[in-house]
Amino acid sequence: MKKISILIITLFSFLQTFASHIAGGELFYEYLGPGNGANTNKYKVTMRLFRDCHSVGQTLATERVVIGIYRSNELSLFTKLDLALQSPAPVIELNTKAIPCLLNAPEVCFQIGIFTGTIDLPSTPGGFTLSWIRCCRIEDIGNVVGAGIGGTFVTKIPGTALLSSGNNSSPQFAIKDTALVCQNKSFVLDFGASDPDSDLLTYSFCDAYSGGSSNNPNPGTSPGGVPSSLSLSPLPYGSTFNGQNPLGAGVKINSQTGKITGIAPSAGRYVINVCVTEWRNGVAINEHRKDFILQVGNCDYTAAEPIPFSGAYCKDFKVTFSNNSLSAGIRGYSWDFGVPGSTTDTSSLAQPVFTFPDTGLYKVRLIVRAEAGCVDTGMTTLGVYPGFKPDFDITGSCFEAPFEFKDKSTANYGVINSWSWNFGNLLTLADSSALKNPTYKYADTGRRNVSLIVTSSKGCTESITKTVTVLNKPYLALSFKDTLICSIDTLQLKAEGTGAFAWKPANNILNANTANPLVYPKNPTTYTVTLTENGCVATDTVRVNVLNFLSVKAGNDTSICSNDTVRLNSVSEALQYQWSPTSGISGIATSRNVVAKPAATTTYVITANLGNCQAKDSVKITVVPYPAANAGADATICFGKDAPLAANITGSSFNWSPSNSLTNATTLTPIAKPTQTTTYLLTVTDTAGCGRPVYDTVTIKVVPKVNAFAGNDTIILANQPLQLNASGGTVYSWSPSIGMNNPSIANPVVFLSASYDSITYKVRVGVPEGCIEEDELKVKLFKTGPDIFVPTAFTPNHDGRNDFLKPIAVGMKATGSFKVYNRWGQLVYSSAVVGPGWDGTLGGKEQAPGTYVFTAEGTDYLGKSVIKKGTVVLIR
């Protein structure tokens, strides 16, 4: 199958509207010779315009191109030039549908309009800037925000300030065959340019400019003409794009060749502006531009494009290859690395790694096979010359003097034959050189990124960037600014920097013209150092204080408690220290101040040195045991009881807290009588040297008061059972035990014969802690049968005696109701027989004295109903 010779296809497809038809362009010029006037030059100016084939309304024939020519220094209008269309207009079309193994190929068609004119321009120091302002670019551009955006096409003619002799013609970008860029595919787009003057060219992405509007699409043809001043405004790029990054992070431009390579972004249109800088004798004399719109298609293709491309590989012998086409349809690879006489220099991998046996030129071939029988072959010539390494040194420090740049690049094969320096000054284009070892003088301070591109006779090209800091004076640093020496010593001063050193005053100093002189002043002296480097000067000072003798104070003797620490703070002007012994010292024993924790009484000695001067002192640390405190054993007491405390101590004083429930609280054996559980704190101090108190506690637990309850007094019939119910504890003992079935429980049953009138029972109630309380109840016996007894009179006068009328049920199994009526038969009170009783009122109102009628009902133990009726007298 025929090889696809066009792998990368630039798409210009445009909306079919009158206004949106601009797809890019290039404005360039050619020097024709001297002009007709004195001190003038004649130039041919050309505008190469790309536009949509399908634009309606306006055509290339009706397009009018008026160039504004501006003074470069202030961009003010000098004159204008009307360009004429060359005829016929070329049309470039590509039927991508007919390309084998190309999938989803879009239709491509655009026109190229070439407009030319000549003009004489004077020679000036600043030169001229040429521009054509036009609207509008095609719409739906992926890396620009907005629609209806115009373009400004620009080139420059350098003035005599940059071009002291000779003249200049601008570079011209080559017009390549239309090619296709497919989304998410690697590609190469050659944007190399040629220069009529053989100037060195370097390439970069740069900002494309906005231009005319839909209201004034071609300012040069409007009644007002071209603008009186030129304003260059970058396009409104989207958030992830800019002029230096128009296709995303995956696409770069080679600064030496102008080839754009990388992985294409998603399908769409993208504005790209390429700037080419002309270098002559190491000086950047001009910046030329080409503005174009690249359309990335949603397509795929099968192609063989071996990487590395033609050129030189200069790192080592081991080269990694890959195919530039990443089509999903590729099914096989066949590599031949071109080693003469070898049959093993092959691979079927997509990304093989091959180690070449020697240096030289190798013709590498790649054959790819895809679906439907598609086959493609790619060739590349690769020079293998390892050991090529760029490097350079920088000498200089301040902006007042030139920096020296020395090339240190090496090449194992061939020779290094070109150097391209960029000194990192962003404010000028004249910060470059093609010399091997150039010099450059910066205008101000700051950090600069200096880059060097070197090439060799074998085709190797490499670059390196280093950062240089430009100071306002030479770098000068002192190891110390203020120091102290002994009068019998000599001190070495230390300075850092590059250049000539000079120290003063000259007295008591050796080697005063070096970075590190020796001084031996007898009195405090301030030494000044002056550093001179290539005409730049920096100064600094160091103060040397002088002592005639040295003293040291270790501090006052002191006492500490056992296991405590003490900070030893010495006072001296010395520079070196040593404590001894080192036992018990935490940290560095050569510090001026240390922390010590001696196990026993220790005398520490500090030795202080200042050069040859020395002094000593000592401090005694007496270690004293802590006082001892033992508050005694905890105890438990019953409520209302007391407990003696028995403490013992080692110390000179003590204190109990709290003391309000202690008797004789100033003794070690007080009596404690708390009403609730209490912990007593014993604090002991001493005057033997350990001033810290020690503590101990004793807890007296108070068992709450036992609330013994035997029950309420009661009345029973002889020979009938009585259930007693005591409460308040866990242990019970009744006495006497007459008639009881078990006197050691809380609820014994009592049977009493008729021989008793009444018995008072006492119960002792205890808890597990041993605390006991007593209570009693009286049991009264009736010797009649079961009955209900009602008093004959009561006196509700609130004197606490006989204030309620209440029936007494004897021998009753169950009680019924108790009711009282007045003489008119009105019910004045009703309750159960065992109720609280009547208080002589009705509805809160006292009833009159007199006779009242009552009824009482109940059931005895045999189930027999008992009804009792009668009268009662209310007495007031």
Side-chain angles (χ1 to χ4, degrees), residues 686-698:
D686 200 0
T687 58
C690 179
R692 296 193 181 187
V694 295
Y695 309 93
D696 195 24
T697 60
V698 59

Side-chain angles (χ1 to χ4, degrees), residues 631-656:
D634 297 342
T636 300
I637 62 173
C638 298
F639 180 82
K641 304 298 182 179
D642 56 38
L645 304 183
N648 59 80
I649 66 171
T650 301
S652 58
S653 62
F654 65 90
N655 176 62
W656 290 96

Side-chain angles (χ1 to χ4, degrees), residues 337-340 354 356-364 380-384:
F337 301 112
V339 178
F354 183 73
F356 287 89
D358 199 354
T359 61
L361 293 174
Y362 297 89
K363 292 187 179 297
V364 180
T380 184
T381 300
L382 180 65
V384 179

Side-chain angles (χ1 to χ4, degrees), residues 152-370:
T152 299
F153 306 96
V154 177
T155 191
K156 296 179 180 180
I157 299 176
T160 56
L162 288 177
L163 203 61
S164 58
S165 63
N167 296 279
N168 188 62
S169 295
S170 68
Q172 294 183 35
F173 287 92
I175 303 178
K176 301 291 184 179
D177 288 343
T178 305
L180 174 64
V181 174
C182 295
Q183 68 173 357
N184 302 321
K185 299 292 184 180
S186 61
F187 72 95
V188 177
L189 192 61
D190 189 353
F191 252 72
S194 61
D195 188 76
D197 305 312
S198 299
D199 293 326
L200 176 67
L201 303 180
T202 59
Y203 302 84
S204 64
F205 287 132
C206 53
D207 287 332
Y209 296 136
S210 298
S213 64
S214 57
N215 294 329
N216 188 16
N218 194 343
T221 61
S222 63
V226 295
S228 59
S229 62
L230 181 62
S231 176
L232 298 176
S233 300
L235 290 179
Y237 289 96
S239 59
T240 59
F241 301 97
N242 54 54
Q244 292 71 40
N245 192 27
L247 296 176
V251 177
K252 306 295 182 183
I253 186 169
N254 187 300
S255 63
Q256 301 300 307
T257 65
K259 287 184 177 181
I260 301 173
T261 60
I263 304 299
S266 57
R269 302 181 178 96
Y270 297 84
V271 174
I272 301 177
N273 199 62
V274 174
C275 286
V276 56
T277 302
E278 292 182 82
W279 301 83
R280 188 176 299 178
N281 298 323
V283 176
I285 63 171
N286 185 33
E287 180 184 84
H288 182 63
R289 314 170 140 253
K290 181 177 179 180
D291 180 318
F292 69 103
I293 295 178
L294 172 71
Q295 180 166 325
V296 180
N298 182 16
C299 53
D300 196 3
Y301 56 85
T302 302
E305 186 71 20
I307 303 176
F309 299 105
S310 298
Y313 187 79
C314 304
K315 183 178 180 181
D316 51 31
F317 289 102
K318 189 175 183 180
V319 183
T320 300
F321 292 88
S322 63
N323 183 31
N324 195 42
S325 173
L326 301 178
S327 172
I330 295 177
R331 292 294 179 262
Y333 299 86
S334 178
W335 293 86
D336 187 327
F337 301 112
V339 178
S342 175
T343 59
T344 60
D345 61 334
T346 60
S347 177
S348 60
L349 299 176
Q351 294 182 324
V353 177
F354 183 73
T355 301
F356 287 89
D358 199 354
T359 61
L361 293 174
Y362 297 89
K363 292 187 179 297
V364 180
R365 183 180 65 182
L366 168 64
I367 300 175
V368 295
R369 293 174 175 81

